[in-house]
Amino acid sequence: MIKVSVLYPNSQQAEFNLDYYCNSHIPMVQEKLGNACKKVTVESGLCGAEPEASAPYIAMGHLYFDSLTKYQQAFAPHAEDLLNDIPNYTNVQPEIQISKVQL
């Protein structure tokens, strides 16, 4: 299994509409990626290592797939639509990491 993490860095200029992300963008992602996407989680940053420190990421979305190939096949046909929706909920350029799930 692999996990695609979409990380939204936090800054003083960062704007992020978590309601839109959870209730519009993520359902669109799930609909377009279909059964290839096995699980989705969304997290919002609370703080850094110290409670008074800002969270390094304002939000994170995690998508789980059986394999990298399954992800690529599901994402490629819808990449433009999914990426074009980003300005509807944030002014932040997301960082992407694809990981192999070990546990």
Side-chain angles (χ1 to χ4, degrees), residues 19-37:
D19 182 62
Y20 182 93
Y21 187 68
C22 289
N23 296 307
S24 294
H25 183 74
I26 292 297
M28 179 178 69
V29 168
Q30 290 176 299
E31 185 254 321
K32 292 192 180 294
L33 300 182
N35 292 333
C37 184

Side-chain angles (χ1 to χ4, degrees), residues 13-83:
Q13 298 80 27
E15 296 177 10
F16 197 93
N17 184 331
L18 191 60
D19 182 62
Y20 182 93
Y21 187 68
C22 289
N23 296 307
S24 294
H25 183 74
I26 292 297
M28 179 178 69
V29 168
Q30 290 176 299
E31 185 254 321
K32 292 192 180 294
L33 300 182
N35 292 333
C37 184
K38 301 300 182 187
K39 178 181 173 182
V40 174
T41 64
V42 173
E43 303 166 16
S44 58
L46 293 177
C47 61
E50 300 294 325
E52 65 278 353
S54 296
Y57 296 98
I58 194 166
M60 296 176 274
H62 304 285
L63 311 170
Y64 294 80
F65 298 85
D66 286 333
S67 68
L68 182 58
T69 301
K70 296 278 187 187
Y71 160 67
Q72 291 168 327
Q73 290 171 342
F75 182 75
H78 307 289
E80 186 175 351
D81 289 339
L82 297 174
L83 296 175

